Amino acid sequence: MKIDLSFSQRIFLVFVCFAIAVIAFMIKLPSYFRSIDKEMHASFYFMAAAFLNVLFVKINFFKHVMVFIVLYLFGMAIEYGQAYSNKFFRSRIHGRFDPEDIHWNLKGLIAFSLLWLICTGVTLIYNKVKLKNDTYSSNA
């Protein structure tokens, strides 16, 4: 998939999404979402990893690992920020620090990484076989 955005446009898009995510994570969930809170954490981090990998990574393993680490640290920072916000605003705008949320964030990141590794591996194998076939065809 080719994305025709300049690097600065991608950075701006990530900044806007990052700001929206921070605001959304700081607001306490309505009660009807609390039963699926953990799954929402995993799905958000799965989709965030997919978004950033499509924008910046393609098939570069080092960049993929960097996105993984940045998102994991972002999840930890959000949890600490949620706990601190209750003290800062002197009212409860969010719940407490929840290590289980970080665990579910990690599950979403690992799930995406497994999918990314499989897709990247298949792509690399396909390209290698295609190159081999093209070389064989041109020599015949």
Side-chain angles (χ1 to χ4, degrees):
M1 175 191 310
K2 180 141 171 67
I3 298 177
D4 291 329
L5 295 174
S6 70
F7 185 75
S8 59
Q9 289 171 326
R10 292 181 214 187
I11 293 295
F12 178 74
L13 183 60
V14 169
F15 179 76
V16 169
C17 291
F18 174 78
I20 292 168
V22 168
I23 292 167
F25 273 117
M26 296 310 287
I27 299 170
K28 195 168 188 175
L29 281 175
S31 61
Y32 50 88
F33 284 123
R34 293 193 188 129
S35 63
I36 59 168
D37 171 54
K38 306 308 178 200
E39 293 82 0
M40 288 174 62
H41 274 269
S43 62
F44 172 82
Y45 280 87
F46 183 94
M47 295 305 293
F51 175 70
L52 292 174
N53 276 272
V54 166
L55 276 180
F56 296 107
V57 175
K58 310 297 186 257
I59 59 172
N60 185 314
F61 183 73
F62 177 74
K63 288 180 181 178
H64 173 76
V65 170
M66 292 305 299
V67 166
F68 185 100
I69 291 169
V70 165
L71 284 173
Y72 183 75
L73 293 175
F74 173 73
M76 288 179 65
I78 287 292
E79 286 301 315
Y80 283 113
Q82 289 170 345
Y84 178 72
S85 69
N86 293 328
K87 294 175 188 171
F88 181 77
F89 291 111
R90 293 190 174 95
S91 68
R92 197 162 174 86
I93 67 167
H94 197 277
R96 70 206 185 307
F97 175 85
D98 189 357
E100 197 174 336
D101 286 350
I102 294 174
H103 179 75
W104 279 87
N105 297 349
L106 184 59
K107 282 184 178 185
L109 290 171
I110 289 171
F112 177 77
S113 290
L114 290 173
L115 179 65
W116 183 85
L117 285 170
I118 291 167
C119 291
T120 301
V122 168
T123 300
L124 291 172
I125 291 168
Y126 173 77
N127 288 340
K128 188 174 266 191
V129 168
K130 185 179 173 189
L131 179 65
K132 190 181 226 181
N133 287 341
D134 289 346
T135 304
Y136 178 74
S137 298
S138 65
N139 289 339

